């Protein structure tokens, strides 16, 4: 008997058996042409997508109540806190007391409206001490902080300012404007200056649109180029002036 050494190659019978197993485990469909093949492949892909979609786990939706519990942005928190403090300080101004004080002052100094203005300025200086966090007040509505004033107090300020000659109102406006720039530059409170400026813009448009005020604005802006906060505060004041007077340099764009 001649012994044969294994060469590692399968015999003919083993090759036939392997081929049969491969054919069974990897059946291939017969197709008459390429179009039927592509159609079947497309059908298989759609079936796979459907199964994947059914097995997909969706994330639970977050309810609106859950979202509302989240804290607001730092800017929104500062805005809310600052508004609340300012409102509290303005509510501390007793309108009846202010009216009684001004009535007494006007009775004792009927021909000195300059004294009336200084007393009004002193009242707001004592009552409003909050320092604004944003010199441009860009976080707030356009008529802020004037809109935080009591309506009765707004009307009283406007009526008092209208009783003062335009020449004095021009001088008083430029004085308050310069005080705002100085206080913002030094980090002091500027809110009460802003309220008075807004009130004068409402009640004395002729004085606010004067050439003297325009020139003062120009000088202050030129001097504040290197002081960003001061410059922004002055630009804010400029925006408070109604832009409907075409005989001055403060012209609105149509």
């Amino acid at each position: 008997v001649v012994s044969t050494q294994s060469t590692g190659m399968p015999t003919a019978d083993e090759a036939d058996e392997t081929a049969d197993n491969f054919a069974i485990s990897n059946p291939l469909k017969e197709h008459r042409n390429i179009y039927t093949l592509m159609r079947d492949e497309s059908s298989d892909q759609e079936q796979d997508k459907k199964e994947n979609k059914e097995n997909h786990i969706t994330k639970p939706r977050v309810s609106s109540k859950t979202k509302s519990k989240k804290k607001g942005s730092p800017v929104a928190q500062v805005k809310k806190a600052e508004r609340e403090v300012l409102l509290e300080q303005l509510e501390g101004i007793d309108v009846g007391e202010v009216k009684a004080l001004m009535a007494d002052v006007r009775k004792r100094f009927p021909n000195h409206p300059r004294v009336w203005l200084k007393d009004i300025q002193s009242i707001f200086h004592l009552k409003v001490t909050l320092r604004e966090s944003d010199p441009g007040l860009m976080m707030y509505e356009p008529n802020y902080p004037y809109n935080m004033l009591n309506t009765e107090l707004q009307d009283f300020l406007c009526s008092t300012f209208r009783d003062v000659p335009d020449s004095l109102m021009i001088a008083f406006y430029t004085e308050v404007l310069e005080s705002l720039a100085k206080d913002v530059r030094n980090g002091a409170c500027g809110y009460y200056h802003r309220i008075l400026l807004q009130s004068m813009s409402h009640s004395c448009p002729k004085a606010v649109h004067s050439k003297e005020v325009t020139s003062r604005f120009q000088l202050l802006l030129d001097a504040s180029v290197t002081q960003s906060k001061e410059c922004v505060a002055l630009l804010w004041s400029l925006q408070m002036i109604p832009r409907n007077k075409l005989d001055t340099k403060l012209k609105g764009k149509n």
Side-chain angles (χ1 to χ4, degrees), residues 93-108 116 119-120 123 152-153 156 160:
I93 301 176
D94 190 318
V95 181
E97 184 179 338
V98 172
K99 287 184 175 181
L101 175 63
M102 293 306 302
D104 181 63
V105 171
R106 295 182 68 162
K107 182 179 180 180
R108 291 189 292 121
W116 315 345
D119 280 3
I120 290 177
I123 293 172
E152 185 179 358
L153 187 54
F156 177 75
T160 302

Side-chain angles (χ1 to χ4, degrees), residues 18-73:
T18 302
D20 293 339
N21 292 335
F22 180 78
I24 294 173
S25 60
N26 297 277
L28 294 177
K29 295 180 181 181
E30 294 183 358
H31 299 277
R32 290 178 296 176
N33 51 50
I34 192 172
Y35 301 106
T36 58
L37 174 63
M38 293 176 63
R39 183 188 62 190
D40 292 344
E41 288 182 352
S42 176
S43 177
D44 292 341
Q45 292 176 359
E46 291 179 358
Q47 183 66 24
D48 292 340
K49 289 181 180 180
K50 183 177 180 181
E51 292 178 356
N52 292 335
K53 186 176 181 180
E54 292 176 353
N55 295 331
H56 180 65
I57 300 176
T58 57
K59 296 181 180 179
R61 294 183 178 179
V62 180
S63 63
S64 58
K65 293 182 179 179
T66 305
K67 291 181 179 180
S68 62
K69 293 181 181 179
K70 295 182 178 180
K71 295 183 179 179
S73 64

Side-chain angles (χ1 to χ4, degrees), residues 217 221 230-240 243:
F217 258 118
L221 286 171
E230 180 181 348
C231 184
V232 170
L234 290 171
L235 291 175
W236 174 88
S237 303
L238 188 61
Q239 291 178 342
M240 295 301 105
R243 307 295 183 87

Side-chain angles (χ1 to χ4, degrees), residues 71-237:
K71 295 183 179 179
S73 64
V75 174
Q77 293 178 8
V78 171
K79 175 181 176 181
K80 181 180 179 181
E82 194 168 310
R83 182 189 293 272
E84 290 176 352
V85 173
L86 178 63
L87 180 60
E88 182 180 355
Q89 292 183 355
L90 291 176
E91 288 177 345
I93 301 176
D94 190 318
V95 181
E97 184 179 338
V98 172
K99 287 184 175 181
L101 175 63
M102 293 306 302
D104 181 63
V105 171
R106 295 182 68 162
K107 182 179 180 180
R108 291 189 292 121
F109 304 97
N111 300 321
H112 296 81
R114 177 75 177 175
V115 178
W116 315 345
L117 299 177
K118 296 299 292 184
D119 280 3
I120 290 177
Q121 189 177 21
S122 298
I123 293 172
F124 278 89
H125 177 68
L126 292 174
K127 295 293 185 178
V128 183
T129 58
L130 176 66
R131 183 178 63 181
E132 57 270 55
S133 59
D134 176 17
L137 300 183
M138 292 181 288
M139 301 184 295
Y140 304 93
E141 57 273 18
N143 58 344
Y144 177 87
Y146 181 72
N147 62 339
M148 305 293 288
L149 271 183
N150 181 289
T151 305
E152 185 179 358
L153 187 54
Q154 289 182 5
D155 295 339
F156 177 75
L157 286 177
C158 290
S159 63
T160 302
F161 290 154
R162 291 191 185 103
D163 291 340
V164 178
D166 288 340
S167 59
L168 286 179
M169 287 307 303
I170 291 173
F172 184 62
Y173 186 92
T174 56
E175 179 184 331
V176 175
L177 190 63
E178 292 174 356
S179 298
L180 172 63
K182 180 181 178 181
D183 286 348
V184 170
R185 180 174 65 249
N186 296 332
C189 171
Y191 264 123
Y192 70 95
H193 299 309
R194 297 173 188 267
I195 292 173
L196 294 177
L197 290 172
Q198 287 176 308
S199 181
M200 286 185 278
S201 295
H202 284 288
S203 56
C204 309
K206 183 178 179 180
V208 172
H209 281 282
S210 65
K211 294 181 179 180
E212 291 85 352
V213 170
T214 303
S215 300
R216 180 59 60 182
F217 258 118
Q218 188 64 55
L219 291 173
L220 291 173
L221 286 171
D222 291 342
S224 66
V225 173
T226 58
Q227 302 289 335
S228 59
K229 291 184 178 181
E230 180 181 348
C231 184
V232 170
L234 290 171
L235 291 175
W236 174 88
S237 303

